[in-house]
Amino acid sequence: MLDNQKYPELSQSIKSLRGVGPSLTKTLGKLEIFTIGDLLKHLPTSYEDRSHIVPIKALELGQNALIEGEIVDSQLAYGKKRSLLITVSDNTGYIKIRFFHFSKNQQSALKIGALIRAFGIPRITKSGFEFAHPDYQVHMEKPPPPSDSLTPVYALTKGVGQRRMRSLTKQLVEITSAKQGVDSYETMLYLHRPPQNATDNDLREAQEKIAADELTAHYIAMKQQQRMYHSLPAIPLPSSIKLGRLLLNQLGFTLTKAQQRVLREVLEDLEKPIPMLRLLQGDVGSGKTIIAAFAAIRAAEQGRQTAIMAPTEILAEQHYLNFCNWLEPLGISVELVTGKQRAPVKRRVEQAIASGTALVAIGTHAIFQKSISFNNLSLTIIDEQHRFGVHQRMALLEKGAISHQLVMTATPIPRTLTMVLYGNMDVSVIDEQPPGRQKIDTRAIPYERREQVISAIKSATDGGQQAYWVCPLIAESDQLQLAAAETTAQMLSQHIGASSVSLLHGRMTNTDKTTVMRAFKDGKIKLLVATTVIEVGMDVPNATIMVIENPERMGLAQLHQLRGRVGRGVLPSHCILLYKNPLSEKARERLEIMRTSTDGFHIAEKDLEMRGPGELGGTRQTGEQQFRVADLAKHAHLIPSIITNAEALMRSDKQAVDLLLETWGPRSIETLKV
Ligand code: ADP
Ligand code: MG
C-alpha cells in the first residue's frame, strides 16, 4: 500500500520532474499519469537485459542483445529502398546495422572509427547477421559500463517513447531511492529498475504483490458499492395475480432445472424493498430471455414498467417479437424503441411509455434519448451487458428513480473472475441447456482441405440451409484483413453463387451491417462471410455451418462465441475449424478442447488455465476492465486469497482499507458505477 502521508512526494504533480512541460503532461494524462504516484504505478510490462555486452560471434538469431564495437564501414545502400548500412566489428566478428530512416546528423555521427553500442534483434541476411534500427549510442572513446539493472519496457502512447519513459522513471527512482522498508512502495521501485540478477521468479512475485493490492482494492470497492446500493429503497414487486403461471402453461416447453432455480432467485430479489442488482450468466441458447419475460411480468402485475435494452436493433426486434407473443395475450402492452422509427410512430411510442400504458419498453440505446420518459420504471433489464458502456447504464438509471436491475450475459466467465469483476452484483448461473439441443459437431480441418469444406457448404446451401464463414484475423491491419475477406467472399461466390453470398465487415456503417444481417436472417443470403464477430445473440436457426479460418490464432472464448451462432435449430450443425499448419502445442490443445466440449463454462475455465500465471504479457481477457497492474489471466490464481484477505480487512482494518482505496481507487471506482 502507498501512504501519501508517509511519502508526500507521491501526490506531487508529474510536472515537478525534469523535462516535463505542458505537452508531455498532456500526453502522460492519456496514460492516466498525473502525479508522481501515478508514474510509480505505471509499472513495466516486460524487461530487456542490456546489462552485459554480447560478443558478436555469440549472437543468436531472434534473441535481443547488446553489442559494442567499432564502425569499420559506413555507406549508402540502394536496394528496393535506400538505406544507410554500417558495419561494426568487435574482434570476434562483424555485424551490419541498417537504417531506412536517418537524418544527416545521424549519418555523420555514424562514421568510420566511432564506437557504437547497440541493442537489437539480430536477423539473418545474405551477408550475415544484421540489426535494423536498433537502439544505439555513438561514443568517441571507451563508453561507460552498461546499466547494472534490467531495462524496463513500458506501455506507451503516441507522443512518449520508451527512452523518455525510462528517463522519467529513472528520476522517480533517484528522488525516492533513500526510502527503506518493505512495502508496496519499495516493491514498485524495485519493479521499475530490477537488479540485473533478478530472476523471472523474483519479478513475478513482485508483480503479484502489487496486482494483489490492486485486485483487493477493486474487490473492496465493489463490495462497498453493493452495500451502498442495497441500503437504498426500491419498490418491492411481490407476487399477486400470478400472470406468470398463465404464461408458463402456454409456453410449449417446461423450464429447465437451472432456469427454475434462477427464476426463483430473481423473483425473490424483486419482492424485497431494496434494489436488485443481479448478473444472469448463461451460455448462448440456455434460455435467458424467458427469465427476463417472467421478471417483466412480475413488475407488470404491480402496474409497473420494465425497460429492456439490447445492443443492436436486430436483437431488440427479436426480443420485441418474443415479448409480444408471450405478454400481449396476458394483457401486458409492449413497445419497441429504435433510432430508426418515423416521427409519428415515435410520438405514439413515447406517449405510451410516458403515460404508463406501455408496461414493457424494449429498445436499443435509443431508449436513453431525452424524449423517452417513463411513468413508473421499476425494472431494468440489460441484455449482453458487455456491449453497453457505463455511461449508458447510468443514463438509464436516471430514468427510473432506483430500479431493480437484471444484467444478462452470454459470456461465460470463470467463477473466481466473476467474484472480483462483478463483486457488486449477485450472480445467477444457468448451467444447463434445454433438452433436445443438437450437439454441434466440431472438426479441426487443415487448410489444404478447404475445397472439401466448400463443397460441404455448397450442398448444405443447395439444400436450403445457411452458413457462416469467418475470415482470418490479421492483427496488423484492418485494410489487409478487409482485402483478404473480399477475396474469400469472391472465391466463395464463384462456388455458391454470387447472389447468395454477402460480406460483413467492421468498416461497414451500422445501417449497412443491419441490412446484411437482416437479409441473412430472412434467408435471402445463404452464406455470410464475416471479418468481425457476428452479432452476439443473433438467432438464425436455419444456419447450420460455421467455418472459422485461422482458429489457431483465436482465444477459446471467442471461438466458443462464434460457434454458438449455429446449433440453434432442429437440424444437425457443424463447426469447422480450418487451421493452418504448423500448429503450436497450445493451439493444438485449444482446438482439441473446442472439439471435445461445448460447455461454455468449462471452456472458459480451460482458457484461464491455459493462459495461466506463467504467461508474461499475454493479452487481456476483456477490454472493458482495465487494471493498471493486474492481469486477470495471469493473476486469477491469487483471487481466492485476495477475497479472504479483503473480507478480513473490511472487518477489522478500516485504515488499511482506506489506504488501499486511495491508492488504487479512481480507476476501480470509475468502473463501478453500474
Ligand atoms: P439465450 O440465453 O442465448 O438468450 P434464448 O433465451 O434466446 O437464449 O433461448 C434460445 C431458444 O431456446 C429460444 O428459442 C427459447 O424460446 C428456447 N428455450 C428457452 N428455454 C427453453 C426450455 N426450457 N426448453 C426448450 N426451449 C427453450
Ligand atoms: Mg439472448
Side-chain angles (χ1 to χ4, degrees):
M1 275 167 271
L2 292 177
D3 189 336
N4 281 0
Q5 276 162 3
K6 202 159 137 209
Y7 307 116
E9 67 273 23
L10 292 181
S11 38
Q12 268 173 38
S13 162
I14 195 77
K15 289 197 198 106
S16 60
L17 292 180
R18 246 181 297 121
V20 184
S23 127
L24 186 56
T25 305
K26 206 168 152 213
T27 307
L28 290 171
K30 285 192 216 142
L31 294 167
E32 297 189 41
I33 300 171
F34 304 102
T35 64
I36 304 286
D38 294 335
L39 182 64
L40 183 64
K41 284 183 269 178
H42 191 71
L43 293 174
T45 50
S46 60
Y47 300 93
E48 290 168 354
D49 189 355
R50 303 185 182 192
S51 60
H52 62 279
I53 291 160
V54 178
I56 290 176
K57 87 166 185 298
L59 286 174
E60 283 175 46
L61 200 61
Q63 192 79 50
N64 267 323
L66 185 70
I67 59 122
E68 189 176 289
E70 188 185 331
I71 298 179
V72 294
D73 190 32
S74 171
Q75 53 179 288
L76 289 175
Y78 297 89
K80 256 184 251 151
K81 258 176 90 186
R82 194 182 74 133
S83 60
L84 173 63
L85 190 62
I86 65 171
T87 308
V88 179
S89 158
D90 74 347
N91 301 329
T92 74
Y94 295 90
I95 184 168
K96 292 208 181 329
I97 299 182
R98 193 183 292 272
F99 298 90
F100 292 103
H101 315 281
F102 52 92
S103 65
K104 268 260 166 314
N105 282 347
Q106 266 175 312
Q107 187 178 355
S108 55
L110 291 164
K111 61 171 186 257
I112 296 175
L115 296 173
I116 185 169
R117 184 180 278 175
F119 182 81
I121 300 180
R123 47 178 204 154
I124 191 88
T125 69
K126 275 184 288 199
S127 55
F129 274 162
E130 183 176 307
F131 279 166
H133 284 276
D135 262 11
Y136 73 93
Q137 292 159 334
V138 176
H139 300 268
M140 289 322 289
E141 48 200 70
K142 183 83 189 136
S147 149
D148 58 1
S149 56
L150 295 175
T151 304
V153 178
Y154 293 98
L156 302 171
T157 186
K158 200 165 170 246
V160 51
Q162 222 41 273
R163 207 179 263 242
R164 178 59 72 87
M165 194 61 98
R166 283 175 194 146
S167 102
L168 292 176
T169 57
K170 184 153 180 277
Q171 286 188 61
L172 174 82
V173 173
E174 280 163 7
I175 59 172
T176 51
S177 60
K179 299 280 187 306
Q180 290 298 319
V182 196
D183 64 3
S184 298
Y185 194 148
E186 302 299 325
T187 309
M188 285 193 239
L189 288 176
Y190 169 89
L191 281 167
H192 280 291
R193 287 295 182 284
Q196 98 197 30
N197 62 359
T199 63
D200 280 356
N201 207 35
D202 295 337
L203 294 170
R204 195 174 59 234
E205 273 176 20
Q207 263 177 2
E208 285 183 353
K209 186 172 158 188
I210 305 305
D213 270 5
E214 186 179 24
L215 290 172
T216 307
H218 182 81
Y219 177 83
I220 290 175
M222 286 299 218
K223 283 294 158 200
Q224 287 186 346
Q225 207 234 4
Q226 182 178 39
R227 265 180 223 166
M228 188 276 292
Y229 204 75
H230 281 170
S231 72
L232 302 171
I235 305 287
L237 302 169
S239 160
S240 57
I241 45 178
K242 303 207 184 325
L243 288 177
R245 199 147 289 286
L246 289 179
L247 173 59
L248 205 52
N249 293 337
Q250 287 161 15
L251 258 187
F253 55 76
T254 49
L255 297 184
T256 61
K257 284 242 153 44
Q259 283 172 314
Q260 290 173 29
R261 184 189 65 241
V262 162
L263 182 56
R264 219 177 308 123
E265 288 164 355
V266 170
L267 294 180
E268 274 169 18
D269 276 0
L270 292 178
E271 286 172 20
K272 294 180 191 156
I274 54 171
M276 167 169 81
L277 187 49
R278 187 170 282 278
L279 181 69
L280 172 51
Q281 283 186 313
D283 217 340
V284 278
S286 62
K288 295 182 291 294
T289 321
I290 191 72
I291 305 295
F294 281 114
I297 289 173
R298 175 57 70 80
E301 283 179 19
Q302 300 293 332
R304 298 205 158 256
Q305 290 177 302
T306 298
I308 300 174
M309 288 193 302
T312 65
E313 244 170 59
I314 294 182
L315 282 180
E317 279 171 23
Q318 200 171 284
H319 283 329
Y320 175 70
L321 293 178
N322 278 327
F323 275 67
C324 285
N325 279 336
W326 289 330
L327 306 198
E328 301 248 321
L330 307 176
I332 301 169
S333 158
V334 183
E335 292 289 356
L336 177 68
V337 183
T338 74
K340 283 226 303 262
Q341 283 164 329
R342 288 162 181 283
V345 178
K346 205 170 157 203
R347 260 199 306 280
R348 189 188 59 69
V349 170
E350 283 171 7
Q351 169 58 26
I353 295 172
S355 67
T357 51
L359 284 172
V360 177
I362 300 178
T364 56
H365 55 276
I367 234 172
F368 304 115
Q369 288 161 59
K370 285 222 164 45
S371 58
I372 306 275
S373 82
F374 285 84
N375 181 287
N376 59 13
L377 181 65
S378 319
L379 171 62
T380 306
I381 300 175
I382 298 163
D383 196 16
E384 306 300 353
Q385 137 276 352
H386 57 282
R387 294 280 206 97
F388 285 102
V390 170
H391 299 293
Q392 290 171 314
R393 280 189 254 167
M394 288 298 283
L396 199 69
L397 271 186
E398 281 159 17
K399 294 197 180 285
I402 300 152
S403 74
H404 296 283
Q405 277 191 69
L406 183 64
V407 176
M408 307 200 287
T409 175
T411 311
I413 301 171
R415 221 177 72 83
T416 42
L417 296 195
T418 306
M419 288 202 288
V420 169
L421 282 179
Y422 302 104
N424 56 340
M425 295 197 231
D426 296 300
V427 179
S428 292
V429 180
I430 306 186
D431 52 3
E432 181 185 1
Q433 289 282 337
R437 280 283 152 78
Q438 299 279 346
K439 188 163 161 8
I440 301 165
D441 169 49
T442 303
R443 290 172 200 212
I445 294 183
Y447 196 75
E448 293 76 54
R449 285 168 52 199
R450 193 170 73 152
E451 294 299 321
Q452 251 171 286
V453 175
I454 296 169
S455 53
I457 292 182
K458 173 134 180 68
S459 59
T461 52
D462 284 349
Q465 296 172 42
Q466 289 168 281
Y468 298 96
W469 185 293
V470 177
C471 287
L473 286 173
I474 301 170
E476 300 86 57
S477 152
D478 267 11
Q479 206 114 36
L480 274 180
Q481 182 159 342
L482 183 52
E486 275 165 352
T487 312
T488 305
Q490 257 165 26
M491 179 276 295
L492 289 166
S493 298
Q494 282 164 14
H495 289 86
I496 315 290
S499 63
S500 305
V501 180
S502 252
L503 180 61
L504 185 74
H505 60 81
R507 295 203 167 181
M508 286 162 72
T509 64
N510 278 340
T511 319
D512 287 349
K513 277 189 207 160
T514 306
T515 311
V516 171
M517 286 309 295
R518 190 157 289 147
F520 187 67
K521 201 169 159 59
D522 295 343
K524 290 181 194 130
I525 293 168
K526 297 284 177 238
L527 176 64
L528 192 65
V529 181
T531 57
T532 44
V533 176
I534 302 154
E535 301 288 333
V536 186
M538 183 73 194
D539 196 16
V540 182
N542 195 42
T544 55
I545 301 181
M546 166 64 69
V547 179
I548 306 174
E549 271 193 69
N550 281 157
E552 69 276 10
R553 295 208 209 160
M554 299 187 193
L556 279 171
Q558 196 181 3
L559 289 172
H560 178 67
Q561 283 292 327
L562 286 172
R563 181 171 57 183
R565 302 302 119 222
V566 295
R568 298 180 151 243
V570 287
L571 291 168
S573 289
H574 307 272
C575 175
I576 294 163
L577 306 169
L578 199 57
Y579 68 87
K580 281 223 174 86
N581 276 314
L583 285 180
S584 71
E585 197 47 48
K586 282 218 158 175
R588 192 177 296 280
E589 206 179 318
R590 276 203 302 271
L591 297 188
E592 185 60 17
I593 292 167
M594 285 301 293
R595 238 178 33 71
T596 51
S597 174
T598 49
D599 175 350
F601 284 91
H602 171 76
I603 290 173
E605 297 281 357
K606 280 283 172 199
D607 194 23
L608 193 60
E609 227 172 78
M610 281 187 64
R611 294 201 280 165
E615 190 152 318
L616 290 170
T619 50
R620 286 163 188 266
Q621 177 131 9
T622 55
E624 68 174 23
Q625 202 83 31
Q626 291 281 327
F627 294 102
R628 275 181 198 264
V629 182
D631 178 324
L632 290 174
K634 252 172 23 188
H635 300 126
H637 65 292
L638 304 174
I639 290 176
S641 66
I642 284 169
I643 292 178
T644 316
N645 179 38
E647 293 288 348
L649 286 181
M650 283 190 283
R651 273 194 305 274
S652 59
D653 195 345
K654 184 170 172 335
Q655 210 183 343
V657 164
D658 289 348
L659 212 53
L660 268 173
L661 290 179
E662 200 180 303
T663 306
W664 297 106
R667 266 206 187 181
S668 302
I669 285 160
E670 182 51 37
T671 55
L672 266 187
K673 295 173 187 153
V674 175

